[in-house]
Amino acid sequence: MSIRIVLENPPEFYTNLDIVRGVVILNLSRPENVGAIVVKLEGESRTSLIAPYDNPSHNRDRGHGDTLLENHKILYKVGQVFPDESSRAPGPYLLNPGQHRFPFQFKLPFNNICGNPDAMARIGGILSPSGSLGLGFRVMDGSRQLLYRHVTKTLPPSFTGFPGQAEIRYYLKVTVQRPSLFRENWRYQMGFKFLPIEPPRPAKTNQEAYARRPFAFHPRPQPSAVPQQQQRQQRQPKKRSGFLDMLSPSQPPTMPPRPEEPPIPPPSVEISARLPHPAILTCHKPIPLRLIAKKLAPVQAEVYLIALQVDLIGKTVVRCHNLVNTEVTRWVITSRTGLNVLVSRPDDAVGTDFVVPDSLWSGFALPNTVMPSFVTCNLRRDYELELKLGLAWQLPGTSPQPSNSSSFFSSRNRVQPAPLRQELHLPLHFSSVQVFSGLTPPAALVEATLQGRRPASDANQRPSAPTSTPQRPPDLPPRPSPQPSAATAAPPAAATATTTTATTSSRPSFPDEPPYDDAPPTYEEAMAEMMTGPVFPPTGEGRPAYSGVTDENGPSSLPEGRGVGGAGAGSSSSSSSRQNGAANASGSRKR
C-alpha cells in the first residue's frame, strides 16, 4: 500500500486567492476496508524559547530553564474526498486492489483562523463518518487555541530562518481512516511555500521620507613657502662643538618666528537619503532611493563620494508565552568602494543640490531571502534601512606638485608629496520601512477592503450579531446563479466587514499587546466566493523565486516544549514524521 499527494500545476509558491488543487493517489495491493479519506489544509506558526532562571512570571511547577513552545493554527481546513458527502450508505467501504484517485481542492483564505474564537471553539474531537464509536479520525482541538493571545492579520509567509526558535509552515495532510481498533490510520503529509498578497498601496504623492545629516571637514593649514635661508639652516649638517666653542657666549642668529596664517576653511555639505512616503520596498525589486548633496558653506573646495554601502536590517520579534526575543538579520544590498563622484563643486552657490546618480544601486534588487513585513500572533518581522557613505575633501589620486627649493642634499626640482585627503564616513538610517511582496491584489478586492475599513461610528449605527461560516470546504454556501456586478456586490461586502469588526473588538485586550491596525476582511467575506486566483505581479511576469523556507518537506527544528501549546496541544505537530514521494503509510505515526 502507498499513498501520496500530487498537486495540479504547482507554482513557485501559493498566495491568497489561490485554489490548491490536487489528487490523492492510493495504491492497494489487496482489498481494504476504508471508512473515509480526509484531506486537511493546515498552517502553523510555532515558536520556542527557553525560560530564563530569573524570570518571575514563570510558573514554579514547570521548573526553570524549560523549553516552552507556542503553536498557533493560523490555517485549518478539512475536506472529505471519500465517500462523497451525498452518499448515505453506511460504511465501511471496500476498495479493490489497484490505484484509486481522489481529487480535492481548497481555497486559501486571506486572514488567519486562530484569531476567530467562534471558529476555534467549534473545531475538535473525533469525527466518525462510518457511525462507529471510536473508529473515526481526530481533528484539531480548537479550544486550546483560546488560551493564547491572537491577532487577526493576513496569513504570514513561509519562514524557517531561525532553527530551533521559530518557523511558519504550510502543508497538506491526508488521512485514510481504517474502521478497526487494531489498525492504525494511514497518513501522508506534503508541504508547500506560501507568500501573501500585499496590502493596498497608498496613492503616489510627491511626499518623501528622508534621513539627512550635515557635516564639515576639519580646517587645513595654509601651504606656506618656507624661506630658502631657513631651509638651508635646517638642512645643513650640524658642526661638531669643541672646548673653545663652549666658552664662546655667542649663538648663531635665529630667524624670527613667522606669524601663523589662518587655516583654509573646510567645506560643509548636507547629505540626505530619500524614499517615497510611506517608505515601501518591494521583494525582488531595487530600492527606490535618492541621494542628494547640498552645499552649505561658500568654500572653494571639491567634495567627492568615494564609498557607498546599503544594508537592509530585518528584526524578527519572537514571542512565546511571556518570553520575547528579537533576532536581527542584515542583508548587504550593495557595497561600492573606489568611487570618484563629485558631489560639491567650487563654483556652486550655497544651497545648490546635486543628485547622486542612482546607477550605483539601481541594478541591485532585494535578494529572494527577504520576506515581506508581517505580523502574526507570535511572530513579527520589521525592517530598517541603513546607508554608509564615505566622503573625501581632496581629489583621490591627486598627483604630487614639484618644488623649486634646492639644497645640498636635494635636486633643483624636488617633488613634494600632495597633502593627504580628509575622509569622513557618515551613517544614514531609516528606522522603519515596509517590505511588500509585489503581488498586487485585484482591484475588486481592494475596493471591498477599503469599504470594510469604515469608522467605528458607522459600525455602531448598524449593529449585527457576529456570524461565522463553516470551516470545511464541503459546507460552502451556495453561489448565486447570476453574476452580480460590482455595484451589487459592494453592500454585502460592507455589511460583512461590519460584522468582522464587531467580532474582533470583542476580543479581550492585553496591556503588552502592540496596537495593530484593523485587519482587512477575509477573502470569503469580501468577495462572496465570486473571485479566484491566480495572482501575478503587476508587470505580468511569472512569480519569482522565494526562499523563505529552505525545505518545506523537511522535519521541524523546534523541540517538543512544555506547557500550553506544546506536544499536547491537541493538533498534529510539524515534528511528526514526514513522507516524501510514494512512501509506505503503514510506518506513519498513529494519532
Side-chain angles (χ1 to χ4, degrees), residues 306-310 334-339 359-361 364 388 390:
I306 60 175
L308 172 65
Q309 180 171 328
V310 181
T334 178
S335 180
R336 306 289 298 272
T337 57
L339 301 177
S359 58
L360 299 177
W361 61 85
F364 301 92
K388 300 177 182 178

Side-chain angles (χ1 to χ4, degrees), residues 215 269-271 291-295 301-306 340-345 348 352-357 389 391-392:
F215 66 95
V269 182
E270 178 187 82
I271 296 291
L291 281 179
I292 299 178
K294 181 179 180 180
K295 188 173 182 179
E302 295 180 347
V303 179
Y304 290 83
L305 176 66
I306 60 175
N340 186 13
V341 181
L342 182 62
V343 297
S344 180
R345 298 180 176 85
D348 291 343
T352 303
D353 292 338
F354 177 80
V355 180
V356 180
L389 298 94
L391 300 155

Side-chain angles (χ1 to χ4, degrees), residues 400-404 413-416:
Q401 300 295 332
S403 174
N404 295 326
N413 295 324
R414 183 182 180 184
V415 177
Q416 290 183 349

Side-chain angles (χ1 to χ4, degrees), residues 349-374:
V350 176
T352 303
D353 292 338
F354 177 80
V355 180
V356 180
D358 60 353
S359 58
L360 299 177
W361 61 85
S362 60
F364 301 92
L366 299 184
N368 58 3
T369 55
V370 176
M371 67 180 64
S373 307
F374 71 90

Side-chain angles (χ1 to χ4, degrees), residues 261-517:
E261 298 181 3
I264 300 177
S268 179
V269 182
E270 178 187 82
I271 296 291
S272 62
R274 302 184 183 183
L275 292 173
H277 178 75
I280 297 176
L281 310 183
T282 307
C283 293
H284 309 283
K285 298 295 182 182
I287 300 177
L289 177 67
R290 291 208 309 155
L291 281 179
I292 299 178
K294 181 179 180 180
K295 188 173 182 179
L296 300 180
V299 177
Q300 298 292 326
E302 295 180 347
V303 179
Y304 290 83
L305 176 66
I306 60 175
L308 172 65
Q309 180 171 328
V310 181
D311 293 347
L312 182 65
I313 304 173
K315 293 186 177 181
T316 307
V317 180
V318 182
R319 189 181 70 177
C320 183
H321 300 281
N322 294 328
L323 305 179
V324 178
N325 183 38
T326 302
E327 296 286 345
V328 179
T329 309
R330 184 181 293 267
W331 293 269
V332 179
I333 307 302
T334 178
S335 180
R336 306 289 298 272
T337 57
L339 301 177
N340 186 13
V341 181
L342 182 62
V343 297
S344 180
R345 298 180 176 85
D347 299 334
D348 291 343
V350 176
T352 303
D353 292 338
F354 177 80
V355 180
V356 180
D358 60 353
S359 58
L360 299 177
W361 61 85
S362 60
F364 301 92
L366 299 184
N368 58 3
T369 55
V370 176
M371 67 180 64
S373 307
F374 71 90
V375 176
T376 188
C377 304
N378 54 349
L379 282 171
R380 179 170 186 159
R381 168 62 68 88
D382 299 320
Y383 288 98
E384 300 176 1
L385 189 65
E386 185 179 68
L387 286 80
K388 300 177 182 178
L389 298 94
L391 300 155
W393 175 24
Q394 176 78 23
L395 178 61
T398 301
S399 59
Q401 300 295 332
S403 174
N404 295 326
S405 61
S406 61
S407 64
F408 180 78
F409 298 98
S410 61
S411 61
R412 178 68 179 174
N413 295 324
R414 183 182 180 184
V415 177
Q416 290 183 349
L420 297 177
R421 64 181 183 184
Q422 291 189 20
E423 295 184 1
L424 287 178
H425 296 275
L426 300 178
L428 297 178
H429 190 81
F430 291 89
S431 60
S432 177
V433 297
Q434 292 180 296
V435 177
F436 282 9
S437 63
L439 301 176
T440 305
L445 181 61
V446 174
E447 182 181 357
T449 303
L450 296 177
Q451 291 179 1
R453 295 179 179 177
R454 56 166 47 90
S457 58
D458 297 344
N460 296 332
Q461 294 176 2
R462 297 182 181 180
S464 59
T467 59
S468 58
T469 57
Q471 300 298 323
R472 301 180 183 177
D475 299 331
L476 288 175
R479 296 186 179 183
S481 54
Q483 186 72 13
S485 60
T488 58
T496 310
T498 305
T499 303
T500 306
T501 306
T503 305
T504 307
S505 60
S506 61
R507 184 174 55 87
S509 59
F510 299 89
D512 57 344
E513 185 173 352
Y516 301 122
D517 298 333

Side-chain angles (χ1 to χ4, degrees), residues 159-178:
F159 170 61
T160 56
F162 303 109
Q165 185 173 177
E167 65 179 16
I168 299 176
R169 291 179 180 267
Y170 295 88
Y171 42 83
L172 290 162
K173 290 182 178 180
V174 57
T175 302
V176 179
Q177 184 259 332
R178 306 175 70 189

